[in-house]
Every structure is written in structure tokens, then in C-alpha cells.
Amino acid sequence: LGVRLAALGADVTVCVRRPEQRALAESLGLRGAELARLGTLAPAFDRVVNTIPAPVLTEPVLTALRPESLDLASKPGGTDFAAAQRLGLRAIHALSLPAVCAPETAGEAVARTVLAILREREECT
């Protein structure tokens, strides 16, 4: 997603949990940052897309966002939606977004992933 957004001219920061994820983001020409710095970096963001299936956009992070920022969270939605509403932020819980917008491509991606997992398991046995 970050690569595609950057190709469209967006200035993309990818907040990650592991150093190798940051290295990958930076190797793709994106700005990488530690997830722990998200609250500090948040005031600079126009949009936040959360693909981490864990509580990431907590009330302190949401408080740091500009009021006009938009948060788009995929399932299960790592956003404190109640806090976003209290703060007047627009947070969209975009459940199953890939399947809704591009069902064939999403299905192909799921199939490839399942096959890769099965191959890995076969190699371990």
C-alpha cells in the first residue's frame, strides 16, 4: 500500500514493530519509523491507514492527530473508535476492504498465502 501511495505522490511513513520491516520500507523508498514513535509523529499525518491487527491507534495517539486527519482501519480495527468519536476524528472501520473492493484479487492473494503456508508446513515435516 505504501509503495502505491508513494507512486501517486504521497509522502509515506511506515511505522513498524521490527527492524527488518523498517529496512524493507526504507529499501522501497518509504520513510520507516518505530511504531513506538507513532504518537510523536502523528501530528504530521494527513491520513493514517492501520493494517496492524492490534490496538495501535490508542487515545493518546489519536489525540496527537490533527482534527482533519482520517483513520482507516482494517479488521479487526486497531483503533480506539470510541476515543476517535469523542475527539471528533473521522475513523472508518473498513472491514473486509480488499474483499469488498477487489474480491477476485483479494481471493487470489488469500489463495497464494494459504498455499505458501501449506508448502512451508510440508517442508518442516
Side-chain angles (χ1 to χ4, degrees):
L1 176 61
V3 170
R4 287 181 173 83
L5 291 172
L8 293 170
D11 183 18
V12 179
T13 300
V14 180
C15 292
V16 299
R17 294 181 272 194
R18 297 188 312 267
E20 58 270 20
Q21 293 170 317
R22 181 177 181 175
L24 175 60
E26 291 174 353
S27 75
L28 295 170
L30 308 173
R31 181 180 303 112
E34 295 174 8
L35 185 58
R37 295 186 52 224
L38 181 58
T40 304
L41 299 170
F45 299 149
D46 293 322
R47 305 287 180 260
V48 177
V49 179
N50 178 20
T51 60
I52 300 173
V56 174
L57 296 170
T58 59
E59 188 161 1
V61 173
L62 293 170
T63 301
L65 289 171
R66 294 184 306 219
E68 68 275 8
S69 294
L70 168 69
D71 164 37
L72 181 63
S74 60
K75 191 174 184 178
T79 298
D80 184 339
F81 289 98
Q85 185 174 15
R86 281 194 310 277
L87 294 166
L89 295 173
R90 185 168 178 215
I92 299 171
H93 202 181
L95 299 176
S96 303
L97 189 58
V100 171
C101 295
E104 190 172 318
T105 304
E108 290 170 0
V110 169
R112 280 192 307 273
T113 302
V114 169
L115 289 172
I117 291 169
L118 292 173
R119 282 188 203 107
E120 287 175 11
R121 288 185 178 178
E122 287 176 358
E123 291 172 5
C124 291
T125 58

